[in-house]
């Protein structure tokens, strides 16, 4: 049987991964007059149904709005001018506006994706969801390729000048870098988050990060009627072992004090999220560059995952624009520049995680030391400013 001849598309940038990183890069390139093709093995509907975290730094909001993706984040997102650190039964507010003059926005990653997908469709972008058999080839040559089978079962090939791997934490592209030429930095944490979605009004106007003798809890929001909450648990915990009553009892115990109580409601989703930190260096191999979770992941405590991916894309867009405009050395800048922010975000995420979570073998000394650290942060303007600068994305810093 004769194999059908692949349909060939030629473009400047081939992008594997149609999540926020890949779509934002495609959008920015189009605004610069640079063609791209995006492929993803998930359908658009599948990505839209994946519930992900939703805190955006100010620069991420600026990128969405100023690039013409959407201003829905300003209309429907919730601006948060601070967070609360809760320990010893008392809440302590970190006022971002007072400390650094910036805010963050509560806006789910699902909505960021929907805005980007709609913008690419509106602008006639070449985005192909639901493909299979994706492979990349010749990444160290001047003509890298992506091969795949499209959603109608037809073989396809994308020939490009530069290839970008934005294909998530299980990246296929990352493994194109020979093992002897890449370094993996990895830390797995001895705890996970038990996360719930519930039908209830908000319990607080801003996020609450709670340290307690029973472990960490995070009280977040989604809408006026749907809330997201988490508590620290063992990675082997099974969701089916936790009834609604048991979940609410645990969450209430972890935030108890000064009369504060969570507003309860019907729980509609339960999940256990493992914790890890990961960085791949370098973020470039020949004509292939990595962006977002393909190159790094962080614990969610610092709200950095999506923001790091968008920060990668800002730098990558600039380097690609220079390279395709004739600067032969421009791609050399990408990995070192992107990794500077990656490691700052890793430090901040690790710091927040270890300051707030109870380690399984923690002694009384360890717990008291954590309380001392938290007290130092909330009673020192310098300490609070350090947290505010990092949480809001180091405002004013150019990567």
């Amino acid at each position: 049987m004769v194999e059908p001849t692949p349909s060939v598309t030629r473009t400047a940038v081939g992008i594997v991964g149609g999540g926020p990183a890949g779509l934002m890069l495609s959008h920015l390139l189009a605004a610069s007059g640079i063609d791209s093709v995006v492929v993803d093995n998930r359908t658009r509907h599948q990505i839209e149904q994946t519930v992900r975290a939703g805190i955006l730094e100010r620069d991420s909001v600026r990128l969405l709005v100023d690039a013409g993706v959407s201003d829905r984040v300003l209309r429907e997102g919730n601006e948060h001018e601070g967070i609360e650190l809760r320990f010893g039964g008392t809440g302590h507010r970190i006022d971002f506006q007072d400390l650094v003059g910036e805010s963050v926005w509560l806006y789910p990653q699902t909505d960021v994706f929907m805005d980007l997908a709609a913008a690419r469709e509106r602008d006639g972008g070449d985005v192909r969801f639901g493909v299979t058999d994706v492979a990349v080839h010749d990444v160290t040559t001047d003509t890298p390729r992506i091969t795949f089978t499209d959603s109608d079962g037809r073989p396809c090939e994308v020939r490009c000048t530069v290839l970008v791997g934005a294909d998530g934490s299980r990246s296929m592209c990352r493994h194109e870098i020979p093992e002897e030429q890449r370094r993996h930095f990895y830390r797995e944490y001895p705890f996970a988050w038990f996360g719930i979605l519930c039908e209830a009004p908000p319990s607080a106007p801003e996020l609450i990060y709670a340290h307690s003798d029973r472990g960490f809890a995070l009280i977040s929001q989604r809408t006026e009627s749907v809330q997201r909450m988490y508590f620290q648990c063992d990675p082997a915990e099974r969701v089916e072992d936790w009834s609604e009553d048991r979940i609410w009892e645990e969450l209430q115990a972890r935030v108890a004090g000064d009369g504060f109580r969570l507003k309860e409601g019907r729980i509609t989703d339960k999940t256990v999220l493992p914790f890890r930190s990961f960085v791949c260096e370098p973020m470039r191999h020949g004509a292939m560059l990595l962006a977002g979770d393909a190159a790094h992941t962080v614990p969610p405590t610092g709200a950095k995952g999506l923001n790091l991916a968008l920060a990668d894309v800002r730098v990558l867009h600039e380097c690609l624009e220079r390279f395709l405009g004739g600067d032969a050395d421009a791609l050399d800048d990408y990995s070192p520049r992107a990794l500077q922010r990656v490691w700052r975000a890793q430090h901040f995420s690790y710091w927040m995680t270890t300051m707030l979570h109870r380690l399984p073998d923690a002694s009384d000394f360890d717990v008291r030391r954590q309380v001392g650290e938290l007290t130092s942060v909330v009673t020192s303007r310098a300490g609070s400013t350090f947290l505010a600068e990092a949480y809001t994305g180091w405002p004013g810093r150019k990567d």
Side-chain angles (χ1 to χ4, degrees):
M1 179 177 178
V2 178
E3 293 291 330
T5 302
S7 170
V8 176
T9 303
R10 290 175 172 81
T11 192
V13 182
I15 302 171
V16 181
L23 293 185
M24 177 57 84
L25 179 60
S26 178
H27 178 82
L28 293 175
L29 290 170
S32 299
I34 299 170
D35 292 334
S36 67
V37 175
V38 182
V39 301
D40 199 296
N41 57 13
R42 300 164 294 178
T43 67
R44 182 169 170 177
H45 177 73
Q46 285 174 325
I47 304 175
E48 288 177 346
Q49 296 305 304
T50 303
V51 177
R52 299 291 296 274
I55 291 292
L56 294 180
E57 298 168 357
R58 179 55 173 156
D59 282 347
S60 296
V61 173
R62 288 192 182 105
L63 185 64
L64 289 169
V65 175
D66 293 350
V69 173
S70 171
D71 63 357
R72 189 163 69 98
V73 61
L74 301 178
R75 292 181 283 106
E76 299 181 20
N78 293 314
E79 181 180 3
H80 285 191
E81 297 182 352
I83 60 171
E84 179 179 302
L85 295 183
R86 189 170 182 81
F87 58 95
T90 304
H92 308 265
R93 185 167 184 265
I94 306 295
D95 189 332
F96 298 158
Q97 278 292 328
D98 174 59
L99 294 163
V100 296
E102 294 287 0
S103 300
V104 295
W105 266 256
L106 182 70
Y107 193 65
Q109 181 170 322
T110 304
D111 290 74
V112 174
F113 168 78
M114 289 191 290
D115 290 346
L116 282 162
R120 289 282 66 218
E121 184 176 39
R122 176 197 69 201
D123 298 339
D126 191 343
V127 181
R128 309 184 195 186
F129 293 110
V131 307
T132 56
D133 307 317
V134 181
V136 297
H137 314 268
D138 307 326
V139 299
T140 58
T141 73
D142 294 333
T143 54
R145 299 178 295 122
I146 307 169
T147 58
F148 58 94
T149 302
D150 71 13
S151 58
D152 293 322
R154 295 171 299 196
C156 298
E157 180 176 306
V158 172
R159 299 176 184 175
C160 48
T161 304
V162 180
L163 191 150
V164 174
D167 51 338
S169 60
R170 298 184 180 181
S171 172
M172 167 267 297
C173 292
R174 180 172 69 237
H175 293 285
E176 289 297 308
I177 306 176
E179 192 170 338
E180 66 274 12
Q181 296 181 34
R182 59 181 153 94
R183 294 190 66 189
H184 285 182
F185 301 87
Y186 182 81
R187 173 178 289 274
E188 188 163 6
Y189 295 84
F191 42 74
W193 276 5
F194 194 111
I196 67 164
L197 279 173
C198 66
E199 296 174 346
S203 295
E206 297 169 337
L207 271 66
I208 299 174
Y209 288 76
H211 171 279
S212 79
D213 289 342
R214 301 173 69 95
F216 171 75
L218 172 62
I219 310 306
S220 183
Q221 303 89 23
R222 280 295 176 267
T223 69
E224 288 302 309
S225 58
V226 177
Q227 312 309 319
R228 188 71 159 160
M229 303 182 193
Y230 305 89
F231 60 87
Q232 175 187 346
C233 69
D234 187 286
E237 204 67 71
R238 302 191 315 161
V239 296
E240 56 268 28
D241 292 339
W242 286 80
S243 67
E244 289 202 17
D245 287 345
R246 185 185 177 196
I247 290 170
W248 284 119
E249 181 181 356
E250 189 64 35
L251 281 166
Q252 296 286 12
R254 296 197 188 193
V255 300
D258 62 18
F260 178 75
R261 282 191 62 81
L262 299 171
K263 296 178 180 177
E264 301 182 9
R266 186 174 73 91
I267 295 173
T268 59
D269 182 69
K270 298 184 286 187
T271 187
V272 174
L273 304 173
F275 259 47
R276 66 174 186 157
S277 295
F278 170 78
V279 180
C280 173
E281 293 189 6
M283 294 169 63
R284 177 195 175 191
H285 179 59
M288 183 185 71
L289 304 105
L290 303 177
D293 286 359
H296 45 72
T297 56
V298 291
T301 325
K304 285 284 167 277
L306 174 57
N307 293 293
L308 264 187
L310 295 178
D312 285 349
V313 167
R314 280 197 300 267
V315 176
L316 182 52
H317 166 244
E318 179 193 322
C319 293
L320 286 171
E321 193 174 31
R322 287 165 45 208
F323 176 75
L324 295 169
D327 182 351
D329 299 324
L331 296 186
D332 295 339
D333 293 344
Y334 171 62
S335 185
R337 285 177 58 189
L339 284 168
Q340 286 185 22
R341 179 177 282 262
V342 168
W343 281 112
R344 291 189 76 177
Q346 289 288 359
H347 167 252
F348 176 65
S349 299
Y350 175 86
W351 176 65
M352 287 281 284
T353 299
T354 55
M355 179 171 62
L356 288 160
H357 290 73
R358 185 182 179 112
L359 294 173
D361 58 352
S363 66
D364 290 343
F365 176 90
D366 296 324
V367 176
R368 295 294 190 275
R369 184 205 58 76
Q370 285 180 311
V371 173
E373 186 174 11
L374 285 161
T375 302
S376 295
V377 170
V378 302
T379 59
S380 162
R381 186 171 182 87
S384 296
T385 299
F386 172 80
L387 191 157
E389 285 179 340
Y391 200 97
T392 58
W394 302 283
R397 181 179 186 272
K398 182 173 176 58
D399 292 305

